[in-house]
């Protein structure tokens, strides 16, 4: 089966990457114009005076183990935002090609497309926020220039997932035409494992994963593209020569130690439990019109008066995300699930809205 490298921008297929200096340590490094002096406070293994390893094998192995894929199928990126940008630049010719997105969804797909000068084809989610897979297939096959189809599962901000069989069918329909990118930033909070096990059978499937959410490392900016090994190799050649700062790599390696992973998994299970409790309590508030079921670490909540709810949160020193001016999301705020104490504080702030005393947190 062919992978998706034929869909890359034609002028990039023979791209010659910048040759980064060797990462070897324990030799006299006079080849990279680095400084010879390491700061006294520098506690990194390799020294911040040295360029980072362009391809940190230990991190790639750890990510491959985490996602149960071969290391050759992993490209480590500076978070998913970097991955989205790299994919759009690699596949879309400015002024010619397009990406397909299914709003309401994560905004970065369209931002990256606009930056690259790629067109944006929108196939809105259905009324219940389910993916309109037949409409996606029709829109992507009805024109020759849709190079990337961005799907988000669980979807930000609506919280619902896409059935794996639906994605698989779409990949087969679009094989040879479009790459199907499934952003699984929140999959650790969902009821199923995600699509990594399907990669080998679906050559035009690309997955985005991140350490920013369930693994608690948003500040380190570490994400991953999971894809066919040929595509990973091609994309690596298009990425900057030193994509990952050594501080970030070392933080990720610490985080991916078995004991640390076990702790993070327990915390993720706790977030899922508190998400359900918070949803139930929010539904009991008179000001709340609707709380959508969520498989992420957040809830989409429709309020009778979203701007009043925003003000109540602001007055209590709580930030939540306002989506109320976006199509289909009238009255909606997106609220991240916090600790039990954080959720109680949120509910206290919202409880004052209607002057009601109901809605005590139980999480
Ligand atoms: C938060 C989020 C990400 C993660 O982005 P990073 O750049 O990895 O921090 C990716 N996709 C979606 C839909 C998100 O909400």
């Amino acid at each position: 089966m062919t992978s998706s490298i034929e869909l890359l921008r034609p002028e990039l297929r023979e791209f010659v990457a910048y040759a980064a200096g060797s990462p070897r340590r324990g030799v006299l490094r006079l080849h990279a114009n680095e400084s010879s002096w390491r700061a006294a406070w520098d506690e990194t293994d390799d020294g911040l005076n040295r360029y980072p390893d362009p391809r940190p094998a230990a991190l790639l192995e750890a990510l491959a183990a985490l996602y149960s894929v071969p290391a050759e199928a992993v490209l480590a990126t500076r978070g998913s935002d970097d991955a989205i940008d790299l994919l759009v630049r690699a596949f879309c010719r400015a002024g010619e090609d397009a990406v397909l997105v299914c709003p309401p969804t994560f905004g970065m797909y369209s931002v990256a497309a606009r930056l690259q000068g790629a067109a944006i084809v929108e196939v809105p989610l259905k009324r219940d926020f389910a993916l309109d897979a037949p409409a996606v297939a029709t829109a992507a096959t009805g024109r020759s220039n849709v190079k990337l189809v961005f799907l988000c599962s669980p979807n930000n901000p609506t919280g619902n997932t896409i059935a794996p069989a639906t994605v698989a069918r779409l990949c087969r329909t679009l094989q040879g035409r479009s790459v199907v990118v499934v952003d699984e930033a929140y999959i650790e909070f969902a009821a199923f494992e995600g699509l990594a096990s399907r990669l080998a059978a679906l050559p035009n499937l690309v997955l985005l994963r991140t350490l920013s959410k369930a693994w608690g490392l948003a500040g380190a900016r570490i994400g991953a593209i999971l894809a066919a090994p040929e595509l990973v190799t091609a994309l690596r050649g298009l990425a900057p020569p030193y994509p990952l700062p050594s501080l970030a790599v070392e933080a990720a390696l610490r985080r991916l130690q078995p004991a640390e992973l076990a702790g993070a998994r327990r915390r993720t299970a706790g977030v899922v439990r508190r998400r359900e409790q918070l949803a139930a309590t929010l539904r009991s508030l008179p000001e709340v019109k609707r709380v959508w079921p969520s498989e992420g670490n957040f809830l989409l909540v429709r309020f009778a008066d979203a701007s009043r709810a925003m003000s109540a949160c602001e007055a209590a020193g709580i930030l939540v995300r306002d989506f109320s001016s976006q199509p289909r999301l009238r009255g909606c705020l997106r609220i991240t699930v916090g600790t039990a104490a954080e959720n109680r504080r949120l509910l206290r702030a919202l409880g004052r809205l209607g002057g009601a005393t109901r809605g005590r947190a139980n999480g």
Side-chain angles (χ1 to χ4, degrees):
M1 248 182 298
T2 56
S3 76
S4 299
I5 42 179
E6 306 91 83
L7 297 173
L8 288 169
R9 280 163 52 199
E11 68 274 26
L12 294 184
R13 282 177 214 152
E14 308 296 317
F15 190 80
V16 178
Y18 175 79
S22 163
R24 276 172 61 206
R25 311 293 180 207
V27 288
L28 181 55
R29 294 172 58 90
L30 299 179
H31 69 317
N33 297 349
E34 298 161 343
S35 165
S36 299
W37 294 278
R38 177 182 177 131
W41 45 260
D42 181 347
E43 291 176 345
T44 60
D45 293 339
D46 287 335
L48 291 172
N49 53 322
R50 301 298 179 189
Y51 277 103
D53 186 342
R55 202 173 153 180
L59 178 62
L60 294 173
E61 291 292 342
L63 290 170
L66 182 66
Y67 300 136
S68 304
V69 296
E72 305 78 57
V74 181
L75 179 66
T77 59
R78 278 184 304 250
S80 313
D81 293 346
D82 180 37
I84 293 162
D85 180 63
L86 178 61
L87 287 167
V88 173
R89 282 188 295 121
F91 284 98
C92 296
R93 292 164 294 182
E96 294 193 43
D97 293 324
V99 308
L100 187 153
V101 297
C102 302
T105 191
F106 190 45
M108 282 306 293
Y109 317 133
S110 300
V111 169
R114 279 198 294 277
L115 265 172
Q116 173 63 8
I120 300 166
V121 176
E122 294 196 341
V123 179
L125 299 176
K126 294 193 276 195
R127 281 190 65 82
D128 59 356
F129 296 139
L131 182 76
D132 193 343
V136 170
T138 304
T141 52
R143 42 175 90 218
S144 61
N145 66 341
V146 174
K147 291 296 177 64
L148 298 171
V149 172
F150 279 104
L151 306 178
C152 189
S153 177
N155 186 42
N156 176 5
T158 60
N160 55 318
T161 51
I162 305 167
T166 303
V167 176
R169 215 175 306 122
L170 204 49
C171 285
R172 287 190 208 103
T173 305
L174 300 180
Q175 170 63 29
R177 293 180 151 269
S178 315
V179 174
V180 176
V181 183
V182 184
D183 185 341
E184 297 188 327
Y186 300 99
I187 197 70
E188 291 87 351
F189 302 99
F192 65 95
E193 291 252 300
L195 293 164
S197 64
R198 309 274 184 126
L199 278 170
L202 300 167
N204 60 332
L205 175 64
V206 169
L207 300 177
L208 303 181
R209 302 288 298 253
T210 181
L211 300 187
S212 293
K213 306 287 160 56
W215 308 108
L217 224 52
R221 315 301 306 127
I222 301 277
I225 291 176
L226 309 184
E230 304 92 322
L231 182 58
V232 165
T233 303
L235 291 172
R236 184 180 291 120
L238 305 177
Y242 301 105
L244 303 176
S246 30
L247 283 171
V249 172
E250 290 186 20
L253 282 173
R254 278 193 199 176
R255 169 48 98 201
L256 296 175
Q257 298 296 313
E260 285 273 319
L261 286 178
R265 286 200 171 96
R266 273 195 305 278
R267 278 191 292 277
T268 297
V271 169
V272 168
R273 228 166 21 244
R274 287 195 301 282
R275 176 186 74 203
E276 298 309 314
Q277 291 163 347
L278 181 61
T281 313
L282 284 168
R283 285 187 187 108
S284 74
L285 297 182
E287 295 288 317
V288 170
K289 296 186 75 171
R290 183 152 187 193
V291 182
W292 276 267
S294 170
E295 299 212 51
N297 64 347
F298 55 86
L299 291 167
L300 185 69
V301 184
R302 175 167 282 150
F303 288 86
D305 185 338
S307 65
R308 275 190 66 203
M310 276 299 285
S311 316
C313 288
E314 256 165 48
I318 301 168
L319 292 175
V320 296
R321 188 73 179 261
D322 185 0
F323 281 90
S324 60
S325 60
Q326 291 203 12
R328 322 270 300 281
L329 299 179
R330 181 180 34 83
C332 290
L333 307 182
R334 190 194 66 202
I335 302 175
T336 307
V337 177
T339 63
E342 289 168 345
N343 295 344
R344 277 196 298 274
R345 192 169 147 196
L346 170 82
L347 289 164
R348 267 200 306 278
L350 293 175
R352 281 182 217 119
L353 269 180
T357 51
R358 293 158 64 200
R360 275 192 43 228
N362 53 4

